[in-house]
Amino acid sequence: MKCAQRPPFGSRFPTLPREPHGERAIRKGIDLLKSKQEPDGSWYGRWGVNYVYGTWQSLKGLMASGEDPRAPYIRRAVAWLKGCQHADGGWGENCDTYPRPEKKGQGITTASQTAWAVMGLAAAGEADSDATRRGIRFLLDTQKPDGSWDEDQF
């Protein structure tokens, strides 16, 4: 695994003021995300379906906030995403996971969820991993000539 040292939050967003209350707010956000992480490494999604989406968004925010991609809780999230990857290289999950979390990471592969998983892995320093490459290959192989994808599930 190649993990570049992440710059501090302010260097990623230099226009944001570096006031003490801003640093406290960022720290509180990081602490909240860490407290909401599921034991398996995933995060519950609040808008997209569902744990794949929540895990991508959490990883993206945490990495943008300067968290270390080598941190054990980040590595658990990466392992969870990799563990949910389907044989076709993609990821899928359905709305059943809202009332039935035991179904998280399961479902017909979709382009949207594959893209979310790939972006989560890339954010956590896994852009060159086999899982990321397989996800990208799925997206390329299933893209329609007009540039879109079919997603009959949603």
Side-chain angles (χ1 to χ4, degrees):
M1 168 184 69
K2 291 183 191 175
C3 288
Q5 187 67 19
R6 296 284 179 186
F9 184 80
S11 66
R12 300 262 326 231
F13 301 96
T15 60
L16 293 179
R18 300 292 291 169
E19 298 176 18
H21 71 276
E23 289 295 319
R24 281 192 305 274
I26 292 166
R27 184 79 253 156
K28 284 175 72 173
I30 291 168
D31 291 344
L32 176 68
L33 283 172
K34 288 170 89 171
S35 75
K36 297 292 184 182
Q37 188 178 29
E38 300 285 329
D40 62 12
S42 66
W43 277 274
Y44 182 84
R46 300 281 182 225
W47 178 81
V49 177
N50 176 3
Y51 291 89
V52 173
Y53 173 84
T55 302
W56 156 54
Q57 290 285 31
S58 295
L59 286 171
K60 183 173 172 57
L62 289 162
M63 294 301 95
S65 298
E67 288 291 281
D68 187 343
R70 297 167 296 191
Y73 81 103
I74 300 295
R75 302 320 308 158
R76 274 197 323 276
V78 166
W80 182 80
L81 282 172
K82 288 181 174 182
C84 295
Q85 190 171 29
H86 297 176
D88 63 10
W91 282 261
E93 195 172 60
N94 61 51
C95 294
D96 288 349
T97 60
Y98 288 104
R100 300 182 63 199
E102 69 273 11
K103 293 188 156 264
K104 66 173 91 169
Q106 302 172 35
I108 296 169
T109 303
T110 67
S112 60
Q113 291 163 336
T114 299
W116 295 338
V118 165
M119 290 187 290
L121 291 172
E126 295 283 327
D128 294 327
S129 73
D130 181 60
T132 302
R133 281 193 291 278
R134 289 179 54 228
I136 292 168
R137 174 54 44 207
F138 171 85
L139 291 169
L140 293 171
D141 289 347
T142 58
Q143 188 175 26
K144 293 171 27 179
D146 69 0
S148 67
W149 287 264
D150 286 323
E151 266 198 25
D152 298 330
Q153 297 80 0
F154 300 104

